[in-house]
Amino acid sequence: MAPLSSSPTERTQVGIVGAGPAGLVLAARLAAAGVDFVVLETRSRDYVEARVRAGVLEAPTVRFLAELGVDARLRREGLVHHGVHLQWRGQRHRIDFAQLSGQQVTVYGQQELVCDLIACHLAAGRHIRFDTEVTAAEGILDPLPDRPDGGVVLGWRGPGGAHGALACDVVAGCDGFHGVSRALAGRQRLLIRERAYPYAWLGVLADVAPSTDELIYAHHDRGFAMHSMRSNEVSRLYLQVPPDEDLQAWSDERIWSELRSRLAVPGWELNTGPIREKGITPMRSFVAEPMSHGRLFLAGDAAHIVPPTGAKGLNLAVADVKVLGDALEGWYRGGSTTGLDGYSDRCLTRVWRVQDFSTWMTTLLHVDPDGDAFERRLQRSRQDELVRSPSLAANLAENYTGLPLP
Ligand code: RFL
Ligand code: PHB
């Protein structure tokens, strides 16, 4: 095969692989800095905009989106929550974020944010190529030069079997856990640390008014359950299920009945309604270190995954690209490579804090099918301690609503 470098069809400064939250927020940051980029996304625009995922934005994430000027609809439609309910043994306990951390979170669907960012980029005439899969790269592991030199070429496969190549200075690997970027770094260069959990989440989106003003995270002997929302008319709910669970085994009636049992507290009713969408998500913790390799910078789920209990995946992706955007701006302004050299270490400090918080929230609230009686008793003690200790509750509030961005 001819080398990719013999046929670049286009040139830019930063090649961004993936139009998820990481790629699209990085694009907004680079646009603000006057740095040129092209986003290559393997899926269609419709597919990317319809993918139902995260729902909670930390306070620092919301502030950063405001700085980038991409928060108009988020400000109008986002639901600001000043607390959250934790529940065990049939009792609900409110964690008051405002009082304990002075911050709040905003409930706003990930796909709404993705739609807003895509609309903003396309309206400004910026380049997002949908249905275009990055398949290969040249020069990506060469040492980072002091000055941008167009030394990387990304090969892509596009609609109708078309092929092409994009020449760029550096690559932002924002292509999620199943993307190609981590593989381009080379397995032997990565230190992988991971953990699988003996459970998954069955998630549903239902056309029914939420039965709660704030999110409910519930531990129950039958398993974890959660009540979230997307608007005053749409509820988002989750149930702990076995990792290999068959979605077909879950009729709408069974889902509502199970949610009703696990979320029950005296005097509270669960509203039910038509289920619009359901799916099963495995739970995993994963970190690939380092997050940079020559001219490749991994960001978001491409570099790390957290179990969703702490509501952190999207927020961590945004934190990564804040660091990357600042470092790239410095490099393009003629500064040194210092910011880019420090990218991985800077991100990993937060990544591991968030891994710890997400694991802690997960094990506090789920039923471990392999856990022994000793483990179950420890879990109960941890739950009690959270109700007793304002300093532990404050630690939860601080981590959940978001530590300051780097
Ligand atoms: P994404 O969103 O997976 O986007 C990667 C994009 O790259 C594309 N791609 C490629 N493009 C070109 N060439 C290739 N070879 C490519 N390979 C892949 C993909 O098509 C895709 O469009 O990764 P990103 O941007 O890093 O964003 C990460 C977040 O999506 C993820 O962390 C969150 O959704 C996790 N998450 C949550 N995070 C939160 O902060 N708060 C939450 O409340 C929250 N809840 C959740 C969640 C994730 C969940 N699931 C389904 C995993 C709840 C659930 C149920
Ligand atoms: C959601 O609304 O989808 C959501 C909220 C909180 C989580 C995970 C998911 O921890």
Side-chain angles (χ1 to χ4, degrees), residues 7-339:
S7 62
T9 45
E10 195 176 17
R11 291 181 183 281
T12 190
Q13 292 180 303
V14 180
I16 301 179
V17 190
L24 293 168
V25 173
L26 177 64
R29 175 67 183 86
L30 294 181
V35 174
D36 194 38
F37 60 84
V38 173
V39 182
L40 303 171
E41 165 60 50
T42 186
R43 300 287 193 166
S44 67
R45 180 177 177 185
D46 283 352
Y47 183 94
V48 170
E49 291 189 342
R51 206 161 34 191
V52 180
R53 283 194 172 173
V56 176
L57 302 181
E58 294 175 353
T61 299
V62 171
R63 277 197 297 275
F64 184 48
L65 295 172
E67 274 170 36
L68 296 175
V70 292
D71 66 331
R73 194 159 70 98
L74 164 62
R75 248 184 299 127
R76 273 197 320 272
E77 297 178 18
L79 305 170
V80 174
H81 284 195
H82 299 282
V84 73
H85 300 287
L86 302 183
Q87 177 177 324
W88 35 75
R89 283 159 269 142
Q91 272 199 304
R92 217 164 263 175
H93 309 275
R94 181 166 188 268
I95 302 286
D96 187 329
F97 292 155
Q99 192 198 338
L100 292 164
S101 71
Q103 293 199 119
Q104 67 289 319
V105 293
T106 303
V107 178
Y108 191 67
Q110 175 170 325
Q111 79 269 35
E112 305 303 334
L113 179 63
V114 163
C115 289
D116 295 349
L117 287 160
I118 290 173
C120 162
H121 289 311
L122 295 183
R126 299 176 199 141
H127 303 293
I128 308 179
R129 311 246 186 280
F130 293 101
D131 304 295
T132 301
E133 181 189 12
V134 171
T135 52
E138 280 177 10
I140 201 163
L141 299 179
D142 292 350
L144 185 71
D146 288 336
R147 296 281 170 270
D149 65 356
V152 185
V153 183
L154 290 177
W156 54 258
R157 187 166 52 213
H163 289 264
L166 172 72
C168 49
D169 303 317
V170 287
V171 172
C174 302
D175 47 350
F177 185 66
H178 300 287
V180 71
S181 297
R182 209 173 51 250
L184 291 174
R187 185 75 178 77
Q188 70 286 0
R189 288 187 193 82
L190 295 169
L191 180 61
I192 308 279
R193 294 191 179 90
E194 60 188 318
R195 178 174 288 183
Y197 296 85
Y199 32 75
W201 276 15
L202 190 166
V204 303
L205 200 61
D207 289 309
V208 59
S211 315
T212 175
D213 52 345
E214 293 172 338
L215 269 57
I216 305 169
Y217 289 82
H219 170 85
H220 188 278
D221 288 346
R222 299 174 64 86
F224 170 80
M226 195 179 84
H227 191 328
S228 180
M229 63 202 68
R230 286 295 175 270
S231 68
N232 293 327
E233 294 84 38
V234 178
S235 297
R236 177 86 168 136
L237 300 116
Y238 297 96
L239 284 168
Q240 174 184 349
V241 294
D244 54 356
E245 187 68 331
D246 178 10
L247 193 55
Q248 301 304 321
W250 288 86
S251 64
D252 292 7
E253 295 69 41
R254 181 175 175 206
I255 291 172
W256 285 122
S257 156
E258 197 61 35
L259 284 165
R260 205 179 286 112
S261 304
R262 296 191 196 179
L263 290 168
V265 287
W268 180 82
E269 287 276 324
L270 177 65
N271 304 328
T272 63
I275 290 181
R276 197 199 303 171
E277 165 148 357
K278 49 183 150 179
I280 292 183
T281 310
M283 309 262 279
R284 182 188 281 128
S285 299
F286 175 95
V287 182
E289 300 188 35
M291 287 171 58
S292 65
H293 303 266
R295 297 156 186 242
L296 169 66
F297 299 87
L298 300 173
D301 280 14
H304 41 70
I305 297 277
V306 285
T309 329
K312 287 287 170 249
L314 184 159
N315 293 291
L316 202 49
V318 170
D320 288 349
V321 299
K322 160 86 168 55
V323 177
L324 185 53
D326 291 352
L328 285 168
E329 182 177 32
W331 190 52
Y332 279 110
R333 288 234 168 119
S336 69
T337 59
T338 310

